[in-house]
Amino acid sequence: MKKIAWVTDSTAYLDEELKNHPDVYQVPMTIVLDDVEYLDGRDLTAEELYKRLKTLKTAPKTSQPPVGAFMELYEKLGKEYDLVFSVLVSSKLSGTVASSVQAAQAVNIPVITFDSKILTFPLTSLLKKGIALAEQGASIEEIKEKLEIVRESNETYVMIGSLEQLHRSGRMSGMQFYLGSMLSIKPIISIEDGVLNTKEKVRSDKKAREKIFDYLNLSNEKYGVKEVYILYGLHKEVADEWQSELEAKFPDIRFLSCPIGAVIGVHAGEHTIGISWNNADA
């Protein structure tokens, strides 16, 4: 049986199980605040980031890990493992997948770079699924195939916490920002095929929440959803409120509450909240 090293980037949320897993490795993204670079999760926590965002003179930026960071890690892993399986943030939102692919061409160990087409905890769930399949004795091809099925079935809907941050970081046009701010419109953002889309525009947090819960209800009726991830910025108490409400509405579904982390927080803001689930259990 091949010894596999599992690699992801710092947009994935690593819970205690993954943090302590001997075969899981994380490559940090870079966050630039007023021209100073920080490695996500190492030099800067999400809490510290949200504090700093309030006093910045220039728009914050994020950048993918450089090719060299992946090369260095893959070379090190080549001494201990037979294969590297990298599950990474959507290639349409970041150049991280491209960095890994480039690094893989320069090292001796075989590397599979898997584009999750997603981020944060839904990305983590794919990583966990891959590890579980490997432990059950699935071949590399089977793991890839099954992760693709789960990936294509994902639904994610988010209320962005700060239109201003989304605009400043270049993820929203000036006109969209102006109209959203002037009319107090709350866009519900979905992630479809790895891209951010404005799914719906509503006038209040309450309406947005109801709409998002409706999407879950439709999927649950159609597919029988087993597990839902509540994704939040800084305010866990709001995620807890959502969780109580959702558990009352959907008693058969397991709900997990997960922070979105600093890199996504740069673009989305501390008040961001949403839910994500997979409709397939490959």
Side-chain angles (χ1 to χ4, degrees):
M1 199 172 138
K2 282 190 187 318
K3 192 175 183 201
I4 304 171
W6 298 89
V7 173
T8 191
D9 56 74
S10 63
T11 67
Y13 169 71
L14 296 195
D15 57 18
E16 287 309 305
E17 180 197 335
L18 289 175
K19 269 184 200 160
N20 298 322
H21 196 293
D23 304 322
V24 171
Y25 301 84
Q26 195 171 36
V27 181
M29 301 275 210
T30 302
I31 297 172
V32 184
L33 304 176
D34 284 341
D35 297 327
V36 180
E37 292 192 355
Y38 300 88
L39 287 178
D40 178 26
R42 294 189 189 173
D43 307 329
L44 190 73
T45 65
E47 288 77 10
E48 287 163 348
L49 166 82
Y50 292 125
K51 253 186 216 153
R52 293 286 311 279
L53 287 177
K54 293 179 170 75
T55 59
L56 289 185
K57 294 175 182 70
T58 55
K61 293 189 189 80
T62 57
S63 63
Q64 74 248 27
V67 176
F70 279 108
M71 267 178 67
E72 198 181 313
L73 176 62
Y74 293 164
E75 277 169 358
K76 191 180 99 180
L77 296 176
K79 295 172 185 152
E80 206 187 320
Y81 294 90
D82 303 312
L83 178 127
V84 174
F85 202 119
S86 288
V87 184
L88 302 170
V89 62
S90 171
S91 62
K92 290 176 181 170
L93 298 174
S94 164
T96 305
V97 162
S99 287
S100 171
V101 168
Q102 220 177 314
Q105 291 163 355
V107 295
N108 292 324
I109 186 169
V111 177
I112 287 166
T113 300
F114 187 85
D115 180 355
S116 73
K117 295 190 180 179
I118 194 72
L119 32 75
T120 74
F121 201 83
L123 163 51
T124 309
S125 73
L126 283 173
L127 182 67
K128 284 187 163 197
K129 183 79 188 165
I131 293 168
L133 286 164
E135 283 167 358
Q136 289 156 23
S139 70
I140 296 302
E141 276 315 304
E142 283 171 331
I143 295 169
K144 265 179 74 177
E145 216 172 278
K146 289 186 174 180
L147 289 190
E148 279 164 9
I149 292 168
V150 175
R151 172 185 74 185
E152 299 310 322
S153 81
N154 178 272
E155 289 188 55
T156 299
Y157 303 100
V158 176
M159 266 165 40
I160 295 294
S162 169
L163 293 187
E164 186 183 355
Q165 255 168 254
L166 203 61
H167 170 53
R168 282 181 83 192
S169 68
R171 297 297 194 277
M172 176 184 249
S173 76
M175 183 53 79
Q176 282 177 310
F177 169 60
Y178 177 73
L179 290 173
S181 306
M182 287 296 289
L183 303 172
S184 302
I185 286 171
K186 293 273 168 191
I188 296 171
I189 304 292
S190 63
I191 299 178
E192 289 164 35
D193 197 33
V195 182
L196 299 181
N197 282 318
T198 303
K199 176 80 175 173
E200 196 103 27
K201 292 171 183 167
V202 292
R203 283 293 180 91
S204 69
D205 283 3
K206 186 171 179 283
K207 281 209 174 74
R209 189 176 70 230
E210 283 166 7
K211 201 80 198 160
I212 289 172
F213 289 8
D214 285 346
Y215 296 140
L216 174 58
N217 191 40
L218 284 171
S219 275
N220 190 40
E221 283 175 359
K222 200 170 173 183
Y223 304 103
V225 176
K226 293 187 177 72
E227 193 169 78
V228 172
Y229 322 118
I230 300 169
L231 312 173
Y232 68 92
L234 183 61
H235 302 283
K236 189 175 186 302
E237 66 282 2
V238 181
D240 292 343
E241 280 169 29
W242 276 46
Q243 186 160 342
S244 302
E245 205 174 320
L246 285 162
E247 282 172 346
K249 277 181 194 277
F250 305 99
D252 297 332
I253 298 176
R254 180 174 177 236
F255 290 92
L256 300 170
S257 200
C258 326
I260 58 173
V263 167
I264 311 302
V266 165
H267 304 291
E270 65 178 72
H271 295 287
T272 296
I273 185 156
I275 56 177
S276 179
W277 64 89
N278 300 316
N279 291 319
D281 186 26

